[in-house]
Amino acid sequence: MAEQTDTAPRATSNRSTTPGSDTFKQYIGSQWAERTDVLPPAREEASFAADRRARLSADYPGKRLVIPAGRLKQRSNDTDYPFRAHTAFTYLTGWGSDSEPGSVLVLEPDAGGGHEATLYFRERAGRDSDEFYANPEIGEFWIGPRPSLAQVASDLALATQGIAELDAVVAAVVSTGSANTLAVRDADPDLTALLGETDSAEFEQKLSELRLVKDEYEIGQMRLAIAATARGFGDIIADLPRITEHERGERLVEGVFNGRARADGAAVGYDTIAASGPHACILHWTRNDGPVVPGDLILVDAGVELDSYYTADITRTLPVSGRFSDEQRMIYEAVREAADAAFAIVRPGIRFREIHATAMGVIARKTAEWGLLPVTAEEAIEPENQQHRRYMVHGTSHHLGLDVHDCAKARREMYLDGVLEAGMVFTIEPGLYFQPDDLTVPESFRGIGVRIEDDILVTATGAENLSAAIPRTADEVEAWVSAAGA
């Protein structure tokens, strides 16, 4: 990794060897070719982002709205985590993986009752500035070419100003008091401190609730993310012979999928779960350091996140050898029955919580049939009982979009108790997990974990399983895995 210079943030003096003489500064700042800004056309999402800002504006007449992208976060010493802009910022600007750290969107109230939107960001340093070569956060010697104010304005169809001009906004908030300003406070703590005690909770709820129903662009991005994720699952299956030979085969599964995510998107939407054998009973197993053993199942929960930040979230449970055992198949098909039953009721007008209740009805019935419950299925599903939940403690569905657990700050009455509308996208992901030391289940069940997760779009008349092309039934999955090893 290249060393940092003496003017760089968090640099250490015993690693700083960049020349600092006036002669050097004059020489490095001279004889560069003329730069001509090529203004890009507005990106596809720009008009959708403008519509979203207009809807937000209508809800807050006369209020100044501040939505920061956030800043780089330190990983260790002088290295940072990859930057990911705050979801609300991306939703309202259309700026995804190419966004600039430290940027801030401000919607300033105008005389007509609406808002003027301005994007503030740190413009690129000139070749006559030491930041050009000496600042590893924004210097082009370190991170490559950066866009100009004019280029970003054209790209996003949004007015832009240099970050220094944000000082005037902060000064206006301080001088008039913060009562007229709403901000996303968790995005940029430094800016939050400057703004003072602005209101935030209701504002952030609104920003989450705006995202519950996806627009045409968002649905298109979800389709692309799911298609890329399907290719990633295919890559894993094709590489199973190599994976099963490695003592940490789970880690190879993670690496193969991450390669697809970087090739077809920006990154993974969340840490990949590659849980083989009894690890599949650990709901968020991301250590991924175990072997992948023929005869076992491997549960892979993964999603590609696009440059727009829209992510898929898919789980498939695969027989490593290409064939399910009798017990594995029985458990797998029970989970699929629960998923199919939940999908069958999805349509505009039902409540979100009904999806989970329907899936749990099947899980209760199956576990009762297998003699695992001390009561009947009907008794188990009573709120005061819930014995079947021992084998599936998580929920069945969550909204999906820019965040893998999207719209998380929405009010309960809009989310869990909310009524489905066309354009909503969420998961359906029932499972059964029989812990290796669970004495309530037969020994042959212990250590088996199964989850099937699909991404669902509510349509005007029902629902579409966006990930239905990825094999789902036990027969389809066996054929899929076996064909790759043939």
Side-chain angles (χ1 to χ4, degrees):
M1 182 177 179
E3 67 172 33
Q4 289 189 333
T5 67
D6 54 357
T7 59
R10 298 194 298 273
T12 55
S13 59
N14 60 2
R15 292 183 56 236
S16 300
T17 58
T18 300
S21 68
D22 289 341
T23 301
F24 167 77
K25 292 178 180 179
Q26 289 171 6
Y27 187 62
I28 199 170
S30 65
Q31 301 184 65
W32 296 102
E34 227 17 79
R35 270 210 280 216
T36 302
D37 274 356
V38 177
L39 301 184
R43 61 179 63 186
E44 180 186 0
E45 191 175 3
S47 62
F48 292 94
D51 288 342
R52 299 166 196 161
R53 293 194 298 272
R55 284 189 287 141
L56 185 66
S57 172
D59 286 330
Y60 295 101
K63 295 285 188 179
R64 178 185 295 109
L65 310 177
V66 181
I67 304 96
R71 300 176 186 269
L72 288 166
K73 292 180 174 63
Q74 185 177 355
R75 183 179 185 272
S76 68
N77 192 26
D78 55 357
T79 61
D80 295 308
Y81 288 105
F83 177 68
R84 190 186 192 281
H86 193 281
T87 300
F89 175 87
T90 294
Y91 183 71
L92 295 170
T93 63
W95 224 3
S97 66
D98 55 342
S99 55
E100 291 285 338
S103 303
V104 182
L105 175 68
V106 177
L107 275 62
E108 196 74 35
D110 60 26
H115 289 81
E116 291 291 335
T118 303
L119 175 61
Y120 297 84
F121 73 96
R122 192 168 185 176
E123 63 272 36
R124 67 188 180 202
R127 264 75 181 273
D128 57 349
S129 163
D130 63 359
E131 286 191 341
F132 169 57
Y133 63 86
N135 188 327
E137 288 191 7
I138 66 167
E140 294 189 8
F141 257 63
W142 294 88
I143 64 171
R146 297 177 60 245
S148 68
L149 293 173
Q151 286 173 323
V152 173
S154 180
D155 184 15
L156 301 179
L158 184 60
T160 59
Q161 290 197 39
I163 195 65
E165 303 305 316
L166 185 64
D167 290 347
V169 176
V170 174
V173 174
V174 172
S175 65
T176 62
S178 58
N180 197 46
T181 299
L182 303 174
V184 178
R185 296 183 61 82
D186 63 347
D188 189 333
D190 293 339
L191 179 59
T192 292
L194 293 174
L195 293 174
E197 292 298 321
T198 58
D199 192 12
S200 65
E202 188 274 339
F203 181 52
E204 292 182 9
Q205 281 181 350
K206 173 59 69 174
L207 285 168
S208 268
E209 290 166 7
L210 281 174
R211 304 203 316 269
L212 284 167
V213 176
K214 271 53 180 178
D215 58 37
E216 177 186 347
Y217 173 83
E218 294 179 286
I219 294 168
Q221 290 295 292
M222 294 303 301
R223 292 186 188 279
L224 293 174
I226 291 164
T229 299
R231 293 190 289 273
F233 274 91
D235 295 341
I236 292 168
I237 289 172
D239 212 20
L240 273 176
R242 181 177 72 98
I243 288 166
T244 57
E245 292 175 358
H246 197 282
E247 63 181 2
R248 294 201 295 180
E250 291 175 342
R251 198 148 287 184
L252 270 63
V253 170
E254 177 186 347
V256 167
F257 189 85
N258 287 6
R260 174 61 65 178
R262 290 293 285 164
D264 288 7
V268 290
Y270 52 95
D271 289 340
T272 297
I273 296 170
S276 188
H279 289 164
C281 300
I282 302 171
L283 300 181
H284 282 176
W285 174 258
T286 56
R287 192 182 305 167
N288 299 341
D289 60 359
V292 177
V293 179
D296 282 346
L297 302 178
I298 181 168
L299 185 158
V300 182
D301 187 335
V304 172
E305 178 181 275
L306 302 183
D307 287 311
S308 61
Y309 287 163
Y310 288 88
T311 185
D313 182 7
I314 310 293
T315 305
R316 290 294 184 265
T317 305
L318 313 170
V320 177
S321 62
R323 289 286 182 269
F324 291 101
S325 71
D326 290 343
E327 289 88 351
Q328 289 169 348
R329 174 180 276 267
M330 181 175 69
I331 295 165
Y332 184 95
E333 287 292 85
V335 171
R336 185 173 69 87
E337 184 177 335
D340 290 350
F343 175 75
I345 72 163
V346 176
R347 64 185 185 279
I350 72 162
R351 294 200 177 275
F352 189 70
R353 62 166 53 254
E354 295 178 52
I355 301 167
H356 175 72
T358 300
M360 288 303 94
V362 175
I363 295 298
R365 176 166 53 81
K366 287 294 184 180
T367 52
E369 286 175 4
W370 298 335
L372 307 185
L373 304 183
V375 296
T376 66
E378 292 74 20
E379 291 170 322
I381 60 176
E382 292 298 323
E384 65 272 18
N385 292 327
Q386 300 287 298
Q387 290 92 338
H388 60 294
R389 297 298 302 279
R390 178 183 179 115
Y391 313 111
M392 181 185 154
V393 298
H394 63 79
T396 303
S397 297
H398 60 79
H399 282 269
L400 182 66
L402 280 169
D403 291 330
V404 66
H405 292 161
D406 210 27
C407 313
K409 292 188 177 181
R411 291 166 293 170
R412 183 183 181 93
E413 58 265 33
M414 297 292 289
Y415 198 128
L416 184 59
D417 294 329
V419 175
L420 297 194
E421 298 180 43
M424 288 182 170
V425 178
F426 48 76
T427 65
I428 291 180
E429 49 178 309
L432 281 168
Y433 313 91
F434 300 114
Q435 302 296 331
D437 56 351
D438 189 343
L439 301 182
T440 69
V441 302
E443 187 173 355
S444 60
F445 279 29
R446 296 174 196 166
I448 295 177
V450 174
R451 182 163 65 251
I452 303 171
E453 179 179 21
D454 287 289
D455 299 343
I456 310 302
L457 168 67
V458 183
T459 66
T461 57
E464 177 186 353
N465 183 344
L466 298 175
S467 49
I470 306 174
R472 295 181 71 257
T473 70
D475 289 343
E476 291 170 346
V477 169
E478 283 185 340
W480 190 26
V481 177
S482 298

